[in-house]
């Protein structure tokens, strides 16, 4: 039988995955959700990468590890709404 799934905003992680995999998905999701809220509140242009990282309580290095640039992060929002 398959292990039970956890869904972290468009990503599925199995509970039997190693801890570092689960934590990585949680971190990526935290950055994603934080950026989504900041883009909604302030707009794309006024939202800075440092502000996203600080609000998500992660180092800027993790932001760039998961998304590389602000435009790549923003493009994940448009991809999630259009198939």
């Amino acid at each position: 039988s398959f292990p039970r799934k956890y869904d972290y905003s468009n990503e599925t992680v199995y509970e039997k995955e190693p801890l570092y995999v689960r934590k990585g998905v949680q971190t990526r999701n935290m950055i994603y959700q934080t950026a989504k809220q900041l883009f909604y509140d302030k707009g794309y242009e006024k939202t800075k990468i440092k502000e996203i990282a600080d609000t998500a309580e992660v180092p800027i290095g993790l932001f760039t590890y998961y998304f590389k640039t602000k435009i790549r992060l923003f493009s994940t929002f448009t991809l999630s709404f259009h198939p």
Side-chain angles (χ1 to χ4, degrees):
S1 76
F2 275 99
R4 211 169 67 196
K5 295 180 189 177
Y6 289 104
D7 185 10
Y8 295 104
S9 215
N10 299 330
E11 293 191 46
T12 304
V13 175
Y14 293 100
E15 70 179 11
K16 289 190 177 178
E17 289 290 340
L19 178 62
Y20 73 91
V21 173
R22 295 191 311 253
K23 296 283 275 176
V25 171
Q26 289 173 341
T27 300
R28 186 179 190 281
N29 187 50
M30 175 63 75
I31 296 168
Y32 179 89
Q33 295 299 330
T34 300
K36 188 164 126 180
Q37 187 62 47
L38 288 170
F39 289 153
Y40 178 78
D41 292 344
K42 299 176 72 175
Y44 175 81
E45 290 296 322
K46 292 184 180 178
T47 303
K48 306 297 179 207
I49 291 175
K50 181 171 178 8
E51 182 179 16
I52 296 168
D54 289 347
T55 305
E57 299 179 352
V58 298
I60 291 176
L62 278 180
F63 176 93
T64 57
Y65 175 79
Y66 289 112
F67 296 104
K68 305 294 184 231
T69 64
K70 187 169 75 166
I71 191 67
R72 283 192 181 179
L73 170 60
F74 190 75
S75 70
T76 63
F77 299 126
T78 58
L79 292 175
S80 67
F81 292 115
H82 300 287

Coordinates of all heavy atoms in Angstrom, one line a residue:
S1 N 0.8 -1.2 0.0 CA 0.0 0.0 0.0 C 0.9 1.2 0.0 O 2.0 1.2 0.6 CB -0.9 0.0 1.2 OG -0.3 0.3 2.4
F2 N 0.4 2.3 -0.6 CA 1.1 3.6 -0.7 C 1.1 4.3 0.7 O 0.1 4.2 1.4 CB 0.5 4.5 -1.7 CG 1.0 4.3 -3.1 CD1 0.2 3.5 -4.0 CD2 2.2 4.8 -3.5 CE1 0.7 3.3 -5.3 CE2 2.7 4.6 -4.8 CZ 1.9 3.8 -5.7
P3 N 2.2 5.0 1.0 CA 2.1 5.8 2.2 C 1.2 6.9 2.1 O 0.8 7.3 1.0 CB 3.6 6.3 2.4 CG 4.2 6.0 1.1 CD 3.4 5.0 0.3
R4 N 0.7 7.4 3.2 CA -0.3 8.6 3.2 C 0.5 9.8 2.6 O 1.6 10.0 2.9 CB -0.7 8.8 4.6 CG -2.1 9.4 4.6 CD -2.7 9.4 6.0 NE -1.9 10.3 6.8 CZ -1.9 10.4 8.1 NH1 -2.6 9.5 8.8 NH2 -1.2 11.3 8.7
K5 N -0.3 10.6 1.9 CA 0.3 11.8 1.2 C 0.1 13.1 2.1 O -1.0 13.2 2.7 CB -0.2 12.0 -0.2 CG 0.1 11.0 -1.2 CD -0.6 11.4 -2.5 CE -0.5 10.2 -3.5 NZ -1.2 10.6 -4.7
Y6 N 1.0 14.0 2.0 CA 0.8 15.3 2.5 C 0.9 16.3 1.3 O 1.8 16.1 0.5 CB 1.9 15.7 3.5 CG 1.7 15.0 4.8 CD1 2.5 13.9 5.1 CD2 0.7 15.3 5.7 CE1 2.4 13.2 6.3 CE2 0.6 14.6 6.9 CZ 1.4 13.6 7.2 OH 1.2 12.9 8.4
D7 N 0.0 17.2 1.2 CA 0.0 18.2 0.1 C 0.5 19.5 0.6 O -0.1 20.1 1.5 CB -1.4 18.3 -0.5 CG -1.3 19.2 -1.7 OD1 -0.2 19.6 -2.2 OD2 -2.4 19.5 -2.2
Y8 N 1.6 20.0 0.1 CA 2.1 21.4 0.4 C 2.0 22.2 -0.8 O 3.0 22.5 -1.5 CB 3.5 21.3 0.9 CG 3.7 20.5 2.2 CD1 4.2 19.2 2.2 CD2 3.3 21.1 3.4 CE1 4.3 18.5 3.4 CE2 3.5 20.4 4.6 CZ 4.0 19.1 4.6 OH 4.1 18.4 5.7
S9 N 0.8 22.7 -1.1 CA 0.6 23.7 -2.1 C 1.3 23.3 -3.4 O 2.4 23.7 -3.8 CB 1.2 25.1 -1.7 OG 0.4 26.1 -2.2
N10 N 0.7 22.4 -4.1 CA 1.1 21.9 -5.4 C 2.2 20.9 -5.4 O 2.7 20.5 -6.4 CB 1.4 23.0 -6.4 CG 0.3 23.9 -6.6 OD1 -0.9 23.5 -6.6 ND2 0.6 25.2 -6.9
E11 N 2.7 20.5 -4.2 CA 3.8 19.5 -4.1 C 3.3 18.4 -3.1 O 2.8 18.7 -2.1 CB 5.1 20.1 -3.6 CG 5.6 21.1 -4.6 CD 7.0 21.5 -4.2 OE1 7.8 20.6 -3.8 OE2 7.3 22.7 -4.2
T12 N 3.5 17.2 -3.5 CA 3.1 16.1 -2.7 C 4.4 15.4 -2.1 O 5.3 15.2 -2.8 CB 2.3 15.1 -3.5 OG1 1.2 15.7 -4.1 CG2 1.8 13.9 -2.6
V13 N 4.3 15.2 -0.8 CA 5.4 14.6 -0.1 C 4.9 13.4 0.7 O 3.8 13.5 1.3 CB 6.1 15.5 0.9 CG1 7.2 14.8 1.7 CG2 6.7 16.7 0.2
Y14 N 5.5 12.3 0.6 CA 5.1 11.1 1.3 C 5.7 11.1 2.7 O 6.8 11.5 2.9 CB 5.6 9.8 0.6 CG 4.9 9.7 -0.7 CD1 5.5 10.0 -1.9 CD2 3.6 9.2 -0.8 CE1 4.9 9.9 -3.1 CE2 2.9 9.0 -2.0 CZ 3.6 9.4 -3.2 OH 3.0 9.3 -4.4
E15 N 4.9 10.7 3.7 CA 5.4 10.7 5.1 C 6.6 9.8 5.3 O 7.3 10.0 6.3 CB 4.2 10.4 6.0 CG 3.8 9.0 6.1 CD 2.6 8.8 7.1 OE1 2.1 9.8 7.6 OE2 2.3 7.6 7.3
K16 N 6.8 8.9 4.4 CA 8.0 8.0 4.6 C 9.3 8.6 4.0 O 10.3 8.0 4.0 CB 7.7 6.6 4.0 CG 6.8 5.9 4.8 CD 6.7 4.4 4.4 CE 5.7 3.7 5.3 NZ 5.6 2.3 4.9
E17 N 9.1 9.8 3.3 CA 10.3 10.5 2.8 C 11.2 10.9 3.9 O 10.8 11.1 5.0 CB 9.9 11.7 2.0 CG 9.2 11.4 0.7 CD 10.2 10.8 -0.3 OE1 11.4 11.0 -0.2 OE2 9.7 10.2 -1.3
P18 N 12.5 11.0 3.7 CA 13.4 11.5 4.7 C 13.0 12.9 5.2 O 12.4 13.7 4.5 CB 14.8 11.6 4.0 CG 14.6 10.8 2.8 CD 13.2 10.8 2.4
L19 N 13.4 13.2 6.4 CA 13.1 14.4 7.1 C 13.6 15.6 6.3 O 12.8 16.6 6.1 CB 13.7 14.5 8.5 CG 13.4 15.8 9.3 CD1 11.9 16.0 9.5 CD2 14.1 15.7 10.6
Y20 N 14.8 15.5 5.7 CA 15.3 16.7 5.0 C 14.4 17.0 3.7 O 14.3 18.1 3.3 CB 16.8 16.5 4.6 CG 17.0 15.5 3.5 CD1 17.0 15.9 2.2 CD2 17.2 14.1 3.8 CE1 17.3 15.0 1.1 CE2 17.4 13.2 2.8 CZ 17.5 13.7 1.4 OH 17.7 12.8 0.4
V21 N 13.8 16.0 3.2 CA 12.9 16.2 2.0 C 11.6 16.9 2.5 O 11.2 17.9 1.9 CB 12.5 14.9 1.3 CG1 11.5 15.1 0.2 CG2 13.8 14.3 0.7
R22 N 11.0 16.4 3.6 CA 9.8 17.1 4.1 C 10.1 18.5 4.5 O 9.3 19.4 4.3 CB 9.3 16.2 5.3 CG 8.8 14.9 4.8 CD 8.0 14.2 5.9 NE 8.7 14.2 7.2 CZ 9.3 13.2 7.8 NH1 9.3 12.0 7.2 NH2 9.9 13.3 9.0
K23 N 11.2 18.7 5.2 CA 11.6 20.1 5.7 C 11.8 21.0 4.5 O 11.4 22.2 4.5 CB 12.8 20.1 6.6 CG 12.6 19.3 7.9 CD 11.9 20.1 8.9 CE 12.8 21.0 9.6 NZ 12.1 21.9 10.5
G24 N 12.4 20.5 3.4 CA 12.7 21.3 2.2 C 11.4 21.8 1.6 O 11.2 22.9 1.2
V25 N 10.4 20.9 1.5 CA 9.1 21.2 0.9 C 8.4 22.2 1.8 O 7.8 23.2 1.3 CB 8.2 20.0 0.7 CG1 6.8 20.3 0.3 CG2 8.9 19.1 -0.3
Q26 N 8.5 22.1 3.1 CA 7.9 23.0 4.0 C 8.5 24.4 3.9 O 7.8 25.4 3.9 CB 8.0 22.5 5.5 CG 7.1 21.4 5.8 CD 7.3 20.8 7.1 OE1 8.4 21.0 7.7 NE2 6.4 20.0 7.6
T27 N 9.8 24.4 3.8 CA 10.5 25.7 3.6 C 10.2 26.4 2.3 O 9.8 27.6 2.3 CB 12.1 25.5 3.7 OG1 12.4 24.9 4.9 CG2 12.8 26.8 3.5
R28 N 10.1 25.6 1.2 CA 9.8 26.2 -0.1 C 8.3 26.7 0.0 O 8.0 27.8 -0.5 CB 9.9 25.1 -1.1 CG 9.7 25.6 -2.5 CD 9.8 24.5 -3.6 NE 9.8 25.0 -4.9 CZ 8.8 25.3 -5.6 NH1 7.6 25.2 -5.0 NH2 8.9 25.7 -6.8
N29 N 7.5 26.0 0.6 CA 6.1 26.4 0.7 C 5.9 27.7 1.6 O 5.1 28.5 1.2 CB 5.2 25.3 1.3 CG 3.8 25.6 1.3 OD1 3.2 26.0 0.3 ND2 3.1 25.5 2.5
M30 N 6.7 27.8 2.6 CA 6.7 29.0 3.5 C 7.1 30.2 2.7 O 6.5 31.3 2.7 CB 7.6 28.8 4.7 CG 7.7 30.1 5.5 SD 6.2 30.6 6.3 CE 6.0 29.4 7.5
I31 N 8.2 30.1 1.9 CA 8.6 31.2 1.0 C 7.5 31.5 0.0 O 7.2 32.7 -0.2 CB 9.9 30.8 0.3 CG1 11.1 30.6 1.3 CG2 10.3 31.9 -0.7 CD1 12.3 30.0 0.7
Y32 N 6.9 30.5 -0.6 CA 5.9 30.7 -1.6 C 4.7 31.4 -1.0 O 4.2 32.4 -1.6 CB 5.5 29.3 -2.1 CG 4.4 29.3 -3.2 CD1 4.7 29.4 -4.5 CD2 3.1 29.2 -2.8 CE1 3.7 29.4 -5.5 CE2 2.1 29.1 -3.8 CZ 2.4 29.2 -5.1 OH 1.4 29.2 -6.0
Q33 N 4.2 31.0 0.1 CA 3.0 31.6 0.7 C 3.3 33.0 1.2 O 2.5 33.9 1.1 CB 2.5 30.7 1.9 CG 2.0 29.4 1.5 CD 0.8 29.4 0.5 OE1 0.0 30.3 0.6 NE2 0.7 28.4 -0.3
T34 N 4.5 33.2 1.7 CA 4.9 34.6 2.2 C 4.9 35.5 1.0 O 4.4 36.6 1.1 CB 6.2 34.5 2.9 OG1 6.1 33.6 4.0 CG2 6.7 35.9 3.4
A35 N 5.6 35.1 -0.1 CA 5.7 35.9 -1.3 C 4.3 36.2 -1.8 O 4.0 37.4 -2.3 CB 6.6 35.3 -2.3
K36 N 3.5 35.2 -1.9 CA 2.1 35.4 -2.4 C 1.4 36.5 -1.6 O 0.8 37.4 -2.3 CB 1.4 34.1 -2.3 CG 0.0 34.1 -3.0 CD -0.4 32.6 -3.1 CE -1.7 32.4 -2.5 NZ -2.2 31.0 -2.7
Q37 N 1.5 36.5 -0.3 CA 0.8 37.5 0.5 C 1.4 38.9 0.3 O 0.7 39.9 0.2 CB 0.9 37.1 2.0 CG 0.0 38.0 2.9 CD -1.4 38.0 2.5 OE1 -2.0 37.0 2.3 NE2 -2.0 39.2 2.4
L38 N 2.8 38.9 0.2 CA 3.4 40.2 0.0 C 3.1 40.8 -1.4 O 2.9 42.0 -1.5 CB 4.9 40.1 0.3 CG 5.4 39.9 1.7 CD1 6.8 39.5 1.8 CD2 5.1 41.2 2.5
F39 N 3.1 40.0 -2.4 CA 2.8 40.5 -3.7 C 1.4 41.0 -3.7 O 1.1 42.0 -4.4 CB 2.9 39.3 -4.8 CG 4.4 39.0 -5.1 CD1 4.7 37.7 -5.5 CD2 5.4 39.8 -4.9 CE1 5.9 37.3 -5.8 CE2 6.7 39.5 -5.2 CZ 7.0 38.2 -5.7
Y40 N 0.5 40.3 -3.0 CA -0.9 40.8 -3.0 C -1.0 42.1 -2.2 O -1.7 43.0 -2.7 CB -1.8 39.7 -2.3 CG -3.2 40.2 -2.2 CD1 -4.1 40.1 -3.2 CD2 -3.7 40.6 -0.9 CE1 -5.4 40.5 -3.1 CE2 -5.0 41.0 -0.8 CZ -5.9 40.9 -1.9 OH -7.2 41.3 -1.8
D41 N -0.3 42.2 -1.1 CA -0.4 43.4 -0.3 C 0.3 44.6 -0.9 O -0.2 45.8 -0.8 CB 0.2 43.2 1.1 CG -0.6 42.2 1.9 OD1 -1.8 42.0 1.6 OD2 -0.1 41.7 2.9
K42 N 1.5 44.4 -1.4 CA 2.4 45.5 -1.8 C 2.6 45.6 -3.4 O 3.1 46.7 -3.8 CB 3.8 45.4 -1.2 CG 3.7 45.5 0.3 CD 5.1 45.2 0.9 CE 5.9 46.4 0.6 NZ 7.2 46.4 1.3
G43 N 2.3 44.6 -4.1 CA 2.6 44.5 -5.5 C 4.0 43.9 -5.8 O 4.8 43.9 -4.9
Y44 N 4.2 43.5 -7.0 CA 5.4 42.8 -7.4 C 6.6 43.8 -7.3 O 7.7 43.4 -6.7 CB 5.3 42.3 -8.8 CG 6.6 41.7 -9.3 CD1 7.0 40.4 -9.0 CD2 7.4 42.5 -10.2 CE1 8.1 39.9 -9.5 CE2 8.6 41.9 -10.6 CZ 9.0 40.7 -10.3 OH 10.1 40.1 -10.7
E45 N 6.5 45.0 -7.8 CA 7.6 45.9 -7.9 C 8.1 46.4 -6.5 O 9.3 46.5 -6.3 CB 7.2 47.2 -8.7 CG 7.1 46.9 -10.2 CD 8.4 46.5 -10.8 OE1 9.4 47.0 -10.5 OE2 8.3 45.6 -11.7
K46 N 7.2 46.5 -5.5 CA 7.6 47.0 -4.2 C 8.0 45.9 -3.3 O 8.5 46.2 -2.2 CB 6.4 47.8 -3.6 CG 6.1 49.1 -4.3 CD 5.1 49.9 -3.7 CE 4.8 51.2 -4.4 NZ 3.7 51.9 -3.8
T47 N 7.8 44.7 -3.6 CA 8.3 43.6 -2.8 C 9.7 43.2 -3.1 O 10.0 42.9 -4.3 CB 7.3 42.4 -3.0 OG1 6.0 42.8 -2.7 CG2 7.7 41.2 -2.1
K48 N 10.5 43.2 -2.1 CA 12.0 42.9 -2.3 C 12.3 41.4 -1.8 O 11.6 40.9 -0.9 CB 12.9 43.8 -1.5 CG 12.6 45.3 -1.8 CD 12.9 45.6 -3.3 CE 12.6 47.1 -3.6 NZ 12.3 47.3 -5.0
I49 N 13.2 40.8 -2.4 CA 13.6 39.5 -2.1 C 14.0 39.4 -0.6 O 13.6 38.5 0.1 CB 14.8 38.9 -2.9 CG1 14.3 38.7 -4.3 CG2 15.4 37.7 -2.3 CD1 15.4 38.3 -5.3
K50 N 14.7 40.4 -0.1 CA 15.1 40.4 1.3 C 13.9 40.4 2.2 O 13.8 39.7 3.3 CB 16.0 41.6 1.6 CG 16.5 41.6 3.1 CD 17.5 42.7 3.3 CE 18.0 42.8 4.7 NZ 17.6 41.9 5.7
E51 N 12.9 41.2 1.8 CA 11.7 41.3 2.6 C 10.9 39.9 2.6 O 10.4 39.5 3.7 CB 10.7 42.3 2.0 CG 9.5 42.6 2.8 CD 8.6 43.6 2.2 OE1 8.8 44.0 1.0 OE2 7.7 44.1 2.9
I52 N 10.9 39.2 1.5 CA 10.3 37.9 1.5 C 11.0 37.0 2.4 O 10.4 36.3 3.2 CB 10.2 37.4 0.0 CG1 9.4 38.2 -0.9 CG2 9.7 35.9 0.0 CD1 9.5 37.9 -2.4
A53 N 12.3 36.9 2.3 CA 13.1 36.0 3.1 C 13.0 36.4 4.6 O 12.8 35.5 5.4 CB 14.6 36.1 2.7
D54 N 13.0 37.6 4.9 CA 12.9 38.0 6.3 C 11.5 37.7 6.9 O 11.4 37.2 8.0 CB 13.2 39.5 6.5 CG 14.6 39.9 6.3 OD1 15.5 39.0 6.3 OD2 14.9 41.1 6.1
T55 N 10.5 37.9 6.1 CA 9.1 37.6 6.6 C 8.9 36.1 6.7 O 8.3 35.7 7.7 CB 8.1 38.2 5.6 OG1 8.3 39.6 5.5 CG2 6.7 38.0 6.2
A56 N 9.5 35.4 5.8 CA 9.4 33.9 5.9 C 10.4 33.3 6.9 O 10.3 32.1 7.2 CB 9.7 33.3 4.5
E57 N 11.2 34.1 7.5 CA 12.2 33.7 8.5 C 13.2 32.7 7.9 O 13.5 31.7 8.6 CB 11.6 33.3 9.8 CG 10.7 34.4 10.4 CD 10.0 33.9 11.7 OE1 10.1 32.7 12.0 OE2 9.5 34.8 12.4
V58 N 13.7 32.9 6.7 CA 14.7 32.1 6.1 C 15.8 32.9 5.6 O 15.6 34.1 5.2 CB 14.1 31.2 4.9 CG1 13.0 30.3 5.4 CG2 13.6 32.1 3.8
P59 N 17.0 32.4 5.5 CA 18.1 33.1 4.9 C 17.9 33.4 3.4 O 17.2 32.6 2.7 CB 19.3 32.2 5.0 CG 18.9 31.2 6.0 CD 17.4 31.1 6.0
I60 N 18.4 34.5 2.8 CA 18.2 34.8 1.4 C 18.8 33.7 0.6 O 18.3 33.4 -0.5 CB 18.9 36.1 1.1 CG1 18.1 37.3 1.8 CG2 19.0 36.4 -0.4 CD1 18.7 38.7 1.6
G61 N 19.8 33.0 1.0 CA 20.4 31.9 0.3 C 19.4 30.8 0.0 O 19.4 30.2 -1.1
L62 N 18.5 30.5 0.9 CA 17.4 29.5 0.7 C 16.4 30.0 -0.3 O 15.9 29.2 -1.1 CB 16.7 29.2 2.0 CG 17.4 28.1 2.9 CD1 16.6 27.9 4.1 CD2 17.7 26.9 2.1
F63 N 16.1 31.3 -0.3 CA 15.3 31.8 -1.3 C 15.8 31.6 -2.7 O 15.2 31.1 -3.6 CB 15.0 33.4 -1.1 CG 14.2 34.0 -2.2 CD1 12.8 34.1 -2.1 CD2 14.8 34.4 -3.4 CE1 12.1 34.6 -3.1 CE2 14.0 34.9 -4.4 CZ 12.7 35.0 -4.3
T64 N 17.1 31.9 -2.9 CA 17.7 31.8 -4.2 C 17.9 30.3 -4.5 O 17.9 29.9 -5.7 CB 19.1 32.5 -4.3 OG1 20.0 32.0 -3.3 CG2 18.9 34.0 -4.2
Y65 N 18.1 29.4 -3.6 CA 18.2 28.0 -3.8 C 16.9 27.4 -4.4 O 16.9 26.7 -5.4 CB 18.5 27.2 -2.5 CG 18.5 25.7 -2.6 CD1 19.6 25.1 -3.2 CD2 17.4 25.0 -2.2 CE1 19.7 23.7 -3.3 CE2 17.5 23.6 -2.4 CZ 18.6 23.0 -2.9 OH 18.6 21.6 -3.1
Y66 N 15.8 27.8 -3.9 CA 14.5 27.3 -4.3 C 13.9 28.0 -5.5 O 13.3 27.4 -6.4 CB 13.4 27.4 -3.2 CG 13.7 26.3 -2.1 CD1 14.1 26.7 -0.9 CD2 13.6 25.0 -2.4 CE1 14.4 25.8 0.1 CE2 13.9 24.0 -1.5 CZ 14.3 24.4 -0.2 OH 14.5 23.5 0.8
F67 N 14.1 29.4 -5.7 CA 13.5 30.1 -6.7 C 14.4 30.9 -7.6 O 14.0 31.4 -8.6 CB 12.4 31.1 -6.1 CG 11.3 30.3 -5.4 CD1 11.3 30.3 -4.0 CD2 10.3 29.7 -6.1 CE1 10.3 29.6 -3.4 CE2 9.3 29.0 -5.5 CZ 9.3 29.0 -4.1
K68 N 15.7 31.0 -7.3 CA 16.7 31.8 -8.1 C 16.4 33.3 -8.1 O 17.3 34.0 -7.7 CB 16.8 31.2 -9.5 CG 17.1 29.7 -9.6 CD 18.4 29.4 -9.0 CE 18.7 27.9 -9.3 NZ 19.1 27.2 -8.1
T69 N 15.3 33.7 -8.7 CA 15.0 35.1 -8.8 C 13.6 35.4 -8.5 O 12.7 34.5 -8.4 CB 15.3 35.6 -10.3 OG1 14.3 34.9 -11.1 CG2 16.7 35.4 -10.7
K70 N 13.3 36.7 -8.3 CA 11.9 37.1 -7.9 C 11.0 36.8 -9.1 O 9.8 36.3 -8.9 CB 11.9 38.5 -7.5 CG 10.6 39.0 -7.0 CD 10.6 40.4 -6.4 CE 10.7 41.5 -7.4 NZ 10.4 42.8 -6.9
I71 N 11.4 37.0 -10.3 CA 10.6 36.7 -11.5 C 10.2 35.2 -11.6 O 9.1 34.9 -12.0 CB 11.1 37.3 -12.8 CG1 10.1 37.3 -13.9 CG2 12.4 36.6 -13.2 CD1 9.0 38.2 -13.7
R72 N 11.2 34.4 -11.3 CA 10.9 32.9 -11.3 C 9.9 32.5 -10.3 O 9.0 31.7 -10.5 CB 12.2 32.1 -11.1 CG 13.0 32.1 -12.4 CD 14.1 31.0 -12.2 NE 15.0 31.0 -13.4 CZ 16.0 30.2 -13.5 NH1 16.3 29.4 -12.5 NH2 16.7 30.3 -14.6
L73 N 10.0 33.1 -9.1 CA 9.0 32.9 -8.1 C 7.6 33.4 -8.5 O 6.6 32.7 -8.4 CB 9.4 33.6 -6.8 CG 8.3 33.6 -5.7 CD1 7.9 32.2 -5.2 CD2 8.9 34.4 -4.5
F74 N 7.6 34.6 -9.1 CA 6.3 35.1 -9.5 C 5.7 34.3 -10.6 O 4.5 34.1 -10.7 CB 6.5 36.6 -10.0 CG 5.2 37.3 -10.3 CD1 4.5 37.7 -9.2 CD2 4.8 37.5 -11.6 CE1 3.3 38.4 -9.5 CE2 3.6 38.2 -11.8 CZ 2.9 38.6 -10.8
S75 N 6.6 33.7 -11.5 CA 6.0 32.9 -12.6 C 5.4 31.6 -12.1 O 4.5 31.1 -12.7 CB 7.1 32.6 -13.6 OG 8.1 31.7 -13.0
T76 N 5.8 31.1 -10.9 CA 5.1 30.0 -10.3 C 3.7 30.2 -10.0 O 2.8 29.4 -10.0 CB 5.8 29.4 -9.1 OG1 5.8 30.4 -8.0 CG2 7.3 29.0 -9.4
F77 N 3.4 31.5 -9.7 CA 2.0 31.9 -9.4 C 1.2 31.8 -10.6 O 0.1 31.3 -10.6 CB 1.9 33.3 -8.8 CG 2.6 33.4 -7.5 CD1 3.5 34.4 -7.3 CD2 2.3 32.6 -6.4 CE1 4.2 34.6 -6.1 CE2 3.0 32.7 -5.2 CZ 3.9 33.7 -5.1
T78 N 1.7 32.3 -11.7 CA 0.9 32.3 -13.0 C 0.8 30.9 -13.5 O -0.3 30.6 -14.1 CB 1.6 33.2 -14.0 OG1 2.9 32.8 -14.3 CG2 1.6 34.7 -13.6
L79 N 1.8 30.1 -13.3 CA 1.7 28.7 -13.8 C 0.7 27.9 -12.9 O 0.1 27.0 -13.4 CB 3.1 28.0 -13.7 CG 4.1 28.5 -14.7 CD1 5.5 27.9 -14.4 CD2 3.7 28.2 -16.1
S80 N 0.5 28.3 -11.7 CA -0.4 27.5 -10.8 C -1.8 27.9 -11.1 O -2.7 27.1 -10.8 CB -0.1 27.8 -9.3 OG -0.4 29.1 -9.0
F81 N -2.1 29.0 -11.8 CA -3.4 29.4 -12.2 C -3.8 29.0 -13.6 O -5.0 28.9 -13.9 CB -3.6 30.9 -12.0 CG -3.6 31.3 -10.6 CD1 -2.6 32.1 -10.1 CD2 -4.5 30.9 -9.7 CE1 -2.5 32.5 -8.8 CE2 -4.5 31.2 -8.3 CZ -3.5 32.0 -7.9
H82 N -2.8 28.8 -14.5 CA -3.1 28.4 -15.9 C -2.4 27.1 -16.2 O -1.2 27.0 -16.0 CB -2.5 29.5 -16.8 CG -3.1 30.9 -16.6 ND1 -4.4 31.1 -17.0 CD2 -2.7 32.0 -16.0 CE1 -4.7 32.4 -16.6 NE2 -3.7 32.9 -16.1
P83 N -3.2 26.1 -16.6 CA -2.6 24.8 -16.9 C -1.7 24.8 -18.1 O -1.6 25.6 -18.9 CB -3.8 23.9 -17.2 CG -5.0 24.8 -17.3 CD -4.6 26.2 -16.8

